[in-house]
Amino acid sequence: MAKETKTKSKWTIGATFWNKLMFALMGVFMFFLIGFVENQHANRTVKSTQVHINYEADNYFVDEEDILRTLTMNDADQIVGKKYRDIELKNLELRLESIKFVEDAQISTDHKGTLMVEIVQSKPIARIVNQNSPHAYIGSNATALSTSDKFTSRVLIIDGPFAPKLMKENYLLTDSTGSKYFQLIQFIDKSEHWKKMISQITLQANGNVIMLPQIGDYEIQFGKPDDIENKFKKIDMFFKDILPSKGWDAYKTVNVSFHNQIVCE
């Protein structure tokens, strides 16, 4: 009985050894296989470039020609014909993201020799109109975007002496006051109702907001960009309860800047 147990023990040790050896050999094989596949892929040559641009937001600030021109640095750095191993994809992505209306660029390659480019455009949500300086857009990521000769986006118009401050770098992101103006712009942009109802906002020298509706010859005095949701509830009440009974031309100003009040004159 002891001899049989001893034999089984030796068999178990031997089986464990061979199992470990087999797994080790499989690991080495997989390592070389992955290396072989990666080497084969790296030696492939770019045969074509495929560009996809998101036009979901109906923005057409960049097209395939713009992307290819920047990608190849105006043909100074031809991509087609290069081997994959000679291409730094991250550098190409950064090159494309230098285009003012490109928010994100992702580049990948496939086994057929195709360089695939995915472009996400910046989405303008407002347009700043200045009398004495270039116009600019405000993007959905709170960055200022210069306008384009190729396409004009139909978005909320912002003017007035305070408006140029919104174009300062990171003002809408890092400044406590600037972030409130951005919250106001976002509130309008994210509501299909208010995008249809409000056509323009004017920022006075003291920072107060005046809104101009799409319909009617009156202005909405909003005050500072605070208590935004409650102020829009009062504007909504004005549209639904007061205007139908008084008429669209009954008032010249509607003031919702006071707490729990709507002052119509």
Side-chain angles (χ1 to χ4, degrees), residues 200-204 208-212 219-223:
Q200 180 175 334
I201 63 177
T202 296
L203 304 184
Q204 297 179 304
N208 281 350
V209 177
I210 294 178
M211 298 182 177
L212 300 180
E219 64 180 32
I220 301 169
Q221 296 179 358
F222 196 85

Side-chain angles (χ1 to χ4, degrees), residues 14-37:
T16 303
F17 170 78
W18 285 110
N19 285 339
K20 289 181 178 180
L21 180 61
M22 185 179 297
F23 279 116
L25 290 174
M26 287 178 63
V28 172
F29 174 75
M30 291 299 297
F31 175 79
F32 281 106
L33 179 62
I34 292 171
F36 174 78
V37 172

Side-chain angles (χ1 to χ4, degrees), residues 79-95:
I79 304 300
V80 173
K82 278 189 175 183
K83 291 189 179 298
Y84 286 178
R85 66 167 67 252
D86 297 326
I87 298 174
E88 291 287 343
L89 297 183
K90 188 60 181 178
N91 289 342
L92 293 183
E93 290 171 352
L94 293 174
R95 187 182 295 178

Side-chain angles (χ1 to χ4, degrees), residues 72-166:
T72 62
M73 298 180 67
N74 291 319
D75 295 332
D77 182 19
Q78 283 292 345
I79 304 300
V80 173
K82 278 189 175 183
K83 291 189 179 298
Y84 286 178
R85 66 167 67 252
D86 297 326
I87 298 174
E88 291 287 343
L89 297 183
K90 188 60 181 178
N91 289 342
L92 293 183
E93 290 171 352
L94 293 174
R95 187 182 295 178
L96 293 177
E97 288 170 4
S98 69
I99 301 174
K100 60 186 178 182
F101 284 105
V102 172
E103 184 170 306
D104 183 64
Q106 296 293 325
I107 302 179
S108 59
T109 54
D110 67 9
H111 65 282
K112 297 179 180 179
T114 306
L115 188 81
M116 296 172 290
V117 182
E118 294 283 337
I119 299 296
V120 176
Q121 294 185 93
S122 299
K123 178 192 173 187
I125 59 175
R127 179 175 178 139
I128 300 174
V129 178
N130 293 316
Q131 292 183 348
N132 302 318
S133 59
H135 299 183
Y137 288 109
I138 295 174
S140 56
N141 57 357
T143 57
L145 304 166
S146 56
T147 55
S148 169
D149 296 331
K150 187 171 296 185
F151 178 74
T152 300
S153 183
R154 296 183 63 183
V155 291
L156 177 71
I157 299 296
I158 302 175
D159 68 358
F162 194 87
K165 290 187 178 182
L166 306 189

